[in-house]
Protein backbone atom coordinates (compact mmCIF):
# COMPACT_ATOMS: atom_id res chain seq x y z
CA UNK A 1 0.00 0.00 0.00
CA UNK A 2 2.85 2.40 0.79
CA UNK A 3 4.17 2.24 -2.77
CA UNK A 4 0.70 2.90 -4.20
CA UNK A 5 0.61 5.96 -1.95
CA UNK A 6 3.89 7.14 -3.48
CA UNK A 7 2.41 6.62 -6.94
CA UNK A 8 -0.68 8.58 -5.84
CA UNK A 9 1.50 11.47 -4.63
CA UNK A 10 3.29 11.57 -7.98
CA UNK A 11 -0.11 11.50 -9.71
CA UNK A 12 -1.40 14.38 -7.59
CA UNK A 13 1.58 16.52 -8.47
CA UNK A 14 1.35 15.76 -12.18
CA UNK A 15 -2.44 16.15 -12.42
CA UNK A 16 -2.32 19.52 -10.62
CA UNK A 17 0.27 20.69 -13.15
CA UNK A 18 -1.80 19.32 -16.06
CA UNK A 19 -4.89 21.21 -14.84
CA UNK A 20 -2.93 24.43 -15.04
CA UNK A 21 -1.60 23.55 -18.51
CA UNK A 22 -5.01 22.55 -19.92
CA UNK A 23 -6.51 25.83 -18.67
CA UNK A 24 -3.90 27.57 -20.83
CA UNK A 25 -4.64 25.30 -23.80
CA UNK A 26 -1.19 23.71 -23.74
CA UNK A 27 -1.70 20.24 -22.24
CA UNK A 28 -0.65 17.42 -24.52
CA UNK A 29 -0.32 13.85 -23.38
CA UNK A 30 2.65 13.44 -21.09
CA UNK A 31 4.25 10.84 -18.88
CA UNK A 32 6.01 11.34 -15.57
CA UNK A 33 7.88 8.37 -14.23
CA UNK A 34 10.35 7.51 -11.52
CA UNK A 35 12.99 4.97 -12.51
CA UNK A 36 13.89 2.08 -10.23
CA UNK A 37 17.55 3.05 -10.16
CA UNK A 38 17.28 6.76 -9.34
CA UNK A 39 15.18 9.24 -7.43
CA UNK A 40 14.56 11.62 -10.32
CA UNK A 41 11.16 12.06 -11.89
CA UNK A 42 11.38 12.18 -15.68
CA UNK A 43 8.78 14.09 -17.68
CA UNK A 44 8.20 12.97 -21.28
CA UNK A 45 6.11 14.68 -23.97
CA UNK A 46 4.24 11.73 -25.48
CA UNK A 47 3.47 13.54 -28.72
CA UNK A 48 7.07 12.79 -29.77
CA UNK A 49 6.55 9.00 -30.01
CA UNK A 50 6.57 8.52 -33.76
CA UNK A 51 4.15 6.11 -35.44
CA UNK A 52 2.48 4.54 -32.41
CA UNK A 53 -0.20 6.25 -30.34
CA UNK A 54 1.10 8.52 -27.57
CA UNK A 55 -0.44 6.29 -24.89
CA UNK A 56 1.04 3.09 -26.32
CA UNK A 57 4.39 4.86 -26.59
CA UNK A 58 4.15 5.96 -22.92
CA UNK A 59 3.16 2.52 -21.65
CA UNK A 60 6.01 0.93 -23.56
CA UNK A 61 8.48 3.53 -22.36
CA UNK A 62 7.69 2.74 -18.72
CA UNK A 63 8.47 -0.93 -19.34
CA UNK A 64 11.66 -0.25 -21.32
CA UNK A 65 12.94 2.23 -18.72
CA UNK A 66 12.06 -0.08 -15.81
CA UNK A 67 9.90 2.52 -14.10
CA UNK A 68 9.16 2.07 -10.42
CA UNK A 69 5.99 4.10 -10.87
CA UNK A 70 4.52 6.28 -13.55
CA UNK A 71 1.64 8.58 -14.40
CA UNK A 72 0.31 9.29 -17.89
CA UNK A 73 -1.97 12.30 -18.20
CA UNK A 74 -3.93 13.18 -21.31
CA UNK A 75 -6.90 15.29 -22.35
CA UNK A 76 -10.04 13.35 -23.20
CA UNK A 77 -13.74 13.09 -22.44
CA UNK A 78 -15.89 11.12 -20.05
CA UNK A 79 -19.64 10.51 -19.82
CA UNK A 80 -21.87 10.57 -16.77
CA UNK A 81 -24.71 8.12 -16.11
CA UNK A 82 -27.11 10.35 -18.13
CA UNK A 83 -24.84 10.16 -21.17
CA UNK A 84 -23.64 13.77 -20.91
CA UNK A 85 -20.06 14.22 -22.10
CA UNK A 86 -17.49 16.30 -20.24
CA UNK A 87 -13.99 17.33 -21.17
CA UNK A 88 -11.64 15.63 -18.74
CA UNK A 89 -8.03 15.13 -17.90
CA UNK A 90 -7.42 11.42 -17.54
CA UNK A 91 -4.53 10.03 -15.57
CA UNK A 92 -3.34 6.44 -15.61
CA UNK A 93 -1.30 5.70 -12.49
CA UNK A 94 0.96 2.67 -12.25
CA UNK A 95 3.09 1.16 -9.48
CA UNK A 96 5.51 -1.49 -10.70
CA UNK A 97 8.24 -1.84 -8.10
CA UNK A 98 6.50 -3.70 -5.29
CA UNK A 99 3.57 -5.63 -6.68
CA UNK A 100 1.96 -4.08 -9.67
CA UNK A 101 -1.00 -1.84 -9.02
CA UNK A 102 -2.85 0.88 -10.84
CA UNK A 103 -5.73 3.32 -10.67
CA UNK A 104 -7.22 6.03 -12.85
CA UNK A 105 -7.73 9.71 -12.11
CA UNK A 106 -10.57 11.52 -13.85
CA UNK A 107 -10.71 15.31 -13.68
CA UNK A 108 -13.74 16.65 -15.55
CA UNK A 109 -13.37 20.32 -16.38
CA UNK A 110 -15.20 23.21 -17.97
CA UNK A 111 -13.03 24.81 -20.67
CA UNK A 112 -12.73 28.55 -21.00
CA UNK A 113 -15.42 30.10 -23.16
CA UNK A 114 -16.50 33.68 -23.88
CA UNK A 115 -19.14 33.39 -21.15
CA UNK A 116 -17.38 31.19 -18.55
CA UNK A 117 -14.02 30.83 -16.92
CA UNK A 118 -12.08 27.59 -16.64
CA UNK A 119 -13.27 25.29 -13.85
CA UNK A 120 -12.65 21.81 -12.49
CA UNK A 121 -15.42 19.50 -11.29
CA UNK A 122 -15.02 16.84 -8.58
CA UNK A 123 -11.99 14.57 -8.94
CA UNK A 124 -12.60 10.85 -9.30
CA UNK A 125 -9.98 8.24 -8.43
CA UNK A 126 -11.00 4.70 -9.38
CA UNK A 127 -9.33 1.31 -9.10
CA UNK A 128 -9.17 -1.00 -12.16
CA UNK A 129 -12.70 -2.26 -11.36
CA UNK A 130 -14.11 1.28 -11.46
CA UNK A 131 -14.53 1.49 -7.68
CA UNK A 132 -13.29 4.48 -5.64
CA UNK A 133 -9.77 4.09 -4.29
CA UNK A 134 -9.08 3.81 -0.55
CA UNK A 135 -8.95 6.91 1.65
CA UNK A 136 -5.17 6.41 2.02
CA UNK A 137 -4.67 6.63 -1.74
CA UNK A 138 -6.97 9.65 -2.01
CA UNK A 139 -5.12 11.41 0.84
CA UNK A 140 -1.75 10.68 -0.81
CA UNK A 141 -3.05 12.06 -4.13
CA UNK A 142 -4.23 15.26 -2.43
CA UNK A 143 -0.86 15.56 -0.69
CA UNK A 144 0.80 15.32 -4.09
CA UNK A 145 -1.33 18.17 -5.45
CA UNK A 146 0.35 20.41 -2.86
CA UNK A 147 3.95 19.53 -3.86
CA UNK A 148 3.99 22.31 -6.44
CA UNK A 149 2.46 25.15 -4.46
CA UNK A 150 1.45 27.19 -7.52
CA UNK A 151 -0.16 24.29 -9.42
CA UNK A 152 -1.91 23.02 -6.28
CA UNK A 153 -3.28 26.44 -5.48
CA UNK A 154 -4.44 26.85 -9.09
CA UNK A 155 -6.30 23.54 -8.86
CA UNK A 156 -8.00 24.51 -5.60
CA UNK A 157 -8.93 27.99 -6.86
CA UNK A 158 -10.61 26.60 -9.97
CA UNK A 159 -12.68 23.84 -8.37
CA UNK A 160 -16.35 24.35 -9.12
CA UNK A 161 -18.72 23.95 -6.22
Amino acid sequence: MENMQLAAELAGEMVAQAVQWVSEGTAGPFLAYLGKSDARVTLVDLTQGGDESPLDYGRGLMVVRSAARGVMVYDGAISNSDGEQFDALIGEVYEFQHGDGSFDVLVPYRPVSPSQSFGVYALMLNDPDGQPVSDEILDAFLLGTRRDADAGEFLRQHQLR
Side-chain angles (χ1 to χ4, degrees):
M1 178 67 92
E2 179 181 333
N3 291 302
M4 281 303 293
Q5 289 170 321
L6 294 173
E9 286 181 30
L10 177 62
E13 183 177 8
M14 294 300 103
V15 167
Q17 186 64 62
V19 165
Q20 193 167 15
W21 289 338
V22 78
S23 76
E24 299 164 354
T26 58
F30 73 91
L31 164 68
Y33 70 91
L34 176 70
K36 289 182 182 173
S37 61
D38 63 22
R40 291 186 326 239
V41 173
T42 303
L43 190 62
V44 178
D45 176 357
L46 295 179
T47 61
Q48 306 301 316
D51 293 336
E52 61 188 320
S53 80
L55 300 181
D56 288 342
Y57 173 65
R59 290 179 190 115
L61 189 60
M62 283 187 281
V63 172
V64 169
R65 300 280 173 87
S66 297
R69 60 194 59 92
V71 179
M72 282 195 305
V73 181
Y74 52 95
D75 198 6
I78 60 172
S79 299
N80 66 13
S81 58
D82 296 331
E84 292 177 277
Q85 288 233 307
F86 293 89
D87 290 318
L89 282 172
I90 301 167
E92 296 179 14
V93 184
Y94 300 96
E95 201 296 318
F96 300 111
Q97 193 165 12
H98 296 93
D100 293 347
S102 66
F103 65 92
D104 294 325
V105 179
L106 306 173
V107 186
Y109 67 88
R110 178 181 69 201
V112 173
S113 72
S115 62
Q116 294 181 318
S117 63
F118 177 82
V120 175
Y121 299 101
L123 302 168
M124 293 172 271
L125 280 68
N126 297 324
D127 69 17
D129 296 323
Q131 298 301 308
V133 298
S134 69
D135 288 343
E136 292 83 10
I137 298 299
L138 177 59
D139 290 344
F141 177 87
L142 294 174
L143 178 65
T145 66
R146 294 188 290 273
R147 278 191 188 163
D148 179 326
D150 292 337
E153 183 61 24
F154 184 88
L155 173 62
R156 285 184 286 287
Q157 287 177 348
H158 289 83
Q159 288 181 326
L160 299 170
R161 308 280 180 237

